[in-house]
Amino acid sequence: MERHIVSNNMSSNTQLWNEDLAPTTAAQRTWRWYHFASLWVGMVMCIPAYTLAASLIDSGMSGTQAVWTVFLANAIVLLPMLLIGHAGTKFGIPYAVLARSSFGTTGARLPALMRAIVACGWYGIQTWFGGEMIYTLLGVLLGHPIGGDKIAGLGINGGQVVCFLAFWAIQFWYIVHGMDSIRKLETYTAPLKILICFVLLGWIYNKVGGFGPLLDQPSQFVEGGKKAGQFWAVFWPSLTAMVGFWATLALNIPDFTRFAKTQRDQVLGQSIGLPVPMGLLAMLAVIVTSGTVVLYGKAIWDPVDLASRMTGAAVLIALIILLIDTVSVNLAANLVGPAYDFSSLAPKQISYKVGGYITASIALVMMPWKVLESTQGYIFTWLIGYSALLGPIAGILIVDYYLIRKTELDVDQLYRDDGKYSYGNGWNNAAIAAFVVGVLPNIPGFLNAAFPAAFPDVGAGFKTIYTYAWFVGIALSALVYGVMMKGKVQPVISVPVQR
């Protein structure tokens, strides 16, 4: 496939270049379509994704409506994934470098840092969940709680500390061994996760003698229901939230596609691995939870809670599977991106591995159990809402790459602070203005959703706009950026060659 020439002195600017940010070589491009499909199956099969359908059913949807909403949202977010991922494969560059073409060689640090912040939040919280999983299921396995009294200042007991650090250490091993170790983890565990889903389905069917009552339960929006006629009022904010679930990864997908063998590999692999598995996982969650209504007298949406009710070897197997699941998701979704993003802030001092160490350190320092405790769950609203607010960055990247630059970039210039992507002072004012315009209308609704007690009086109009936050942001920023950049782009001077 096509590669672009890069000058021998590209590495001379150590404030914009290091080995990890440099374009991938042909030898590094080892990812085939099944690697990308496995990557997505590995990330999709996670506890937060499993529980997505629960939030939709709680809001009044039927099981079928919940499954289709999850599927549609992921089909929508697949489009920017493929569009932005194209640049990673074509030029071998990560997201933090791609952003330089639109935001400027200095300005690109803004979207990189914004993406890193939300990923660090998720990484810390998922690490805590992984530790709690070990703590809970070990207690079940041993037949008694472990840990003892809470430690002063920490607010958790010794057992929880040990389990949290153990899970943190498991992930740290993969940080030390780099991207290839993560690829192998995702590739080898994806088939296991699919197998476990079928085993879980068979287990619930045999235990219950069917699939329980939730499948036959109508939505609350039907005539005579509790929320009759309110389907669309619930559907649109739910769709936006589902899109926001993977919106951050839509930005940094070049961090993975830069290792693709061909464009076909990244397109086919992502198309197979994201929308359908997400829809099927939602269906599995509805079916299994429906069975728990019969087994335990109530709907159990939390797979850790469900596993804790099992006995004997089943608990140990569940623990191993859930650990593999959480590690593979957290590394791919929440570590790779910020590792590259932190590296782009100071390439001379921060490599990809050092960026990973920073992310892992933040997971420790933030004490995620305290964050969850202090926010009473609003942290999830904040993180998913914040993801939706990243839509404007996606709009800018897509318009810049496809409409302004016609998928052609001067790769050499992306690593020069005196080149055309520096825009004179390192910042592209058009991108900053477009980003601000895309974000501003969503901020009041976001503040009300994330911090309702502090911002109770936000107008209905802003709340409605926030209902469509991701769509509003991506559309406004794309329009403003396209208008401001019209006729301002210099022609590409690089000559396509095999690198």
Side-chain angles (χ1 to χ4, degrees):
M1 65 177 293
E2 195 178 77
R3 303 285 189 274
H4 282 66
I5 192 168
V6 290
S7 66
N8 292 329
N9 64 357
M10 182 178 66
S11 61
S12 60
N13 189 344
T14 54
Q15 292 309 309
L16 294 174
W17 182 95
N18 64 28
E19 288 287 352
D20 298 311
L21 296 176
T24 50
T25 63
Q28 291 174 298
R29 292 169 176 264
T30 58
W31 289 46
R32 303 311 302 257
W33 68 268
Y34 47 85
H35 291 124
F36 285 99
S38 297
L39 173 75
W40 274 112
V41 168
M43 289 194 291
V44 161
M45 302 294 177
C46 65
I47 293 172
Y50 181 94
T51 59
L52 282 179
S55 64
L56 299 180
I57 290 177
D58 285 345
S59 68
M61 290 188 183
S62 67
T64 302
Q65 289 171 335
V67 170
W68 278 107
T69 301
V70 171
F71 173 79
L72 178 60
N74 285 275
I76 290 171
V77 82
L78 175 66
L79 183 59
M81 292 257 189
L82 298 179
L83 292 176
I84 296 173
H86 182 280
T89 302
K90 184 170 184 177
F91 299 103
I93 54 176
Y95 155 70
V97 173
L98 172 64
R100 292 173 184 172
S101 72
S102 50
F103 282 84
T105 48
T106 302
R109 290 167 182 165
L110 173 65
L113 189 59
M114 293 190 69
R115 166 67 183 93
I117 289 171
V118 71
C120 285
W122 276 119
Y123 187 83
I125 288 169
Q126 291 286 2
T127 301
W128 168 247
F129 282 167
E132 277 294 273
M133 198 184 306
I134 298 174
Y135 178 79
T136 300
L137 296 184
L138 274 182
V140 173
L141 203 59
L142 295 172
H144 59 82
I146 59 174
D149 297 330
K150 290 183 178 180
I151 299 171
L154 289 181
I156 56 177
N157 63 44
Q160 289 174 302
V161 171
V162 171
C163 291
F164 174 67
L165 291 176
F167 191 81
W168 183 90
I170 292 170
Q171 296 179 126
F172 196 80
W173 186 92
Y174 286 95
I175 299 175
V176 173
H177 289 81
M179 274 291 290
D180 199 48
S181 66
I182 296 176
R183 176 182 65 84
K184 289 177 180 177
L185 174 69
E186 302 294 342
T187 302
Y188 298 149
T189 59
L192 176 63
K193 290 186 176 185
I194 295 172
L195 175 62
I196 291 301
C197 287
F198 283 108
V199 170
L200 189 57
L201 204 58
W203 175 78
I204 205 76
Y205 186 87
N206 289 328
K207 282 279 188 181
V208 176
F211 289 131
L214 280 184
L215 294 181
D216 302 321
Q217 183 177 301
S219 78
Q220 297 177 25
F221 308 120
V222 297
E223 191 173 341
K226 292 181 182 178
K227 299 181 179 180
Q230 299 178 37
F231 174 77
W232 295 110
V234 172
F235 171 77
W236 287 113
S238 299
L239 185 69
T240 300
M242 297 301 108
V243 168
F245 189 77
W246 289 123
T248 52
L249 209 63
L251 291 180
N252 76 283
I253 197 65
D255 296 343
F256 297 96
T257 60
R258 65 195 297 243
F259 297 102
K261 195 83 171 175
T262 65
Q263 288 291 356
R264 179 180 178 274
D265 286 313
Q266 71 100 356
V267 171
L268 182 61
Q270 292 202 83
S271 299
I272 292 172
L274 178 57
V276 173
M278 274 297 279
L280 291 177
L281 182 69
M283 184 184 298
L284 174 74
V286 171
I287 292 172
V288 171
T289 305
S290 182
T292 64
V293 174
V294 177
L295 280 178
Y296 305 108
K298 63 176 182 178
I300 300 173
W301 288 97
D302 182 357
V304 178
D305 186 5
L306 180 59
S308 71
R309 295 166 188 266
M310 297 176 180
T311 57
V315 179
L316 181 60
I317 294 170
L319 173 60
I320 294 170
I321 295 302
L322 290 171
L323 281 178
I324 292 172
D325 171 69
T326 308
V327 169
S328 62
V329 173
N330 210 21
L331 290 172
N334 302 318
L335 174 92
V336 174
Y340 279 120
D341 295 338
F342 285 129
S343 180
S344 74
L345 298 181
K348 184 178 180 180
Q349 293 80 21
I350 305 175
S351 64
Y352 166 81
K353 282 188 180 180
V354 173
Y357 300 156
I358 293 172
T359 305
S361 299
I362 290 173
L364 285 177
V365 174
M366 70 181 283
M367 291 196 281
W369 57 91
K370 286 188 174 291
V371 174
L372 290 170
E373 185 181 84
S374 64
T375 58
Q376 289 91 44
Y378 287 125
I379 188 67
F380 297 104
T381 305
W382 189 89
L383 286 170
I384 292 177
Y386 186 69
S387 299
L389 294 179
L390 295 182
I393 298 175
I396 292 167
L397 293 182
I398 291 170
V399 168
D400 181 77
Y401 182 62
Y402 284 93
L403 301 184
I404 305 299
R405 308 196 187 277
K406 313 297 183 186
T407 74
E408 293 297 334
L409 297 173
D410 277 317
V411 177
D412 183 48
Q413 299 277 309
L414 291 170
Y415 298 88
R416 295 174 60 95
D417 54 14
D418 59 350
K420 66 182 183 181
Y421 299 121
S422 70
Y423 298 97
N425 63 355
W427 295 78
N428 182 5
N429 293 330
I432 303 302
F435 175 72
V436 170
V437 170
V439 167
L440 276 180
N442 289 313
I443 288 179
F446 166 66
L447 292 174
N448 175 257
F451 312 104
F455 299 92
D457 302 320
V458 171
F462 285 116
K463 291 181 182 178
T464 302
I465 290 173
Y466 184 66
T467 297
Y468 310 93
W470 190 82
F471 301 97
V472 170
I474 201 170
L476 284 177
S477 64
L479 178 63
V480 172
Y481 185 78
V483 170
M484 292 185 71
M485 287 297 290
K486 189 175 182 180
K488 293 185 178 180
V489 176
Q490 303 171 28
V492 170
I493 57 176
S494 295
V495 182
V497 297
Q498 186 73 25
R499 185 174 183 270

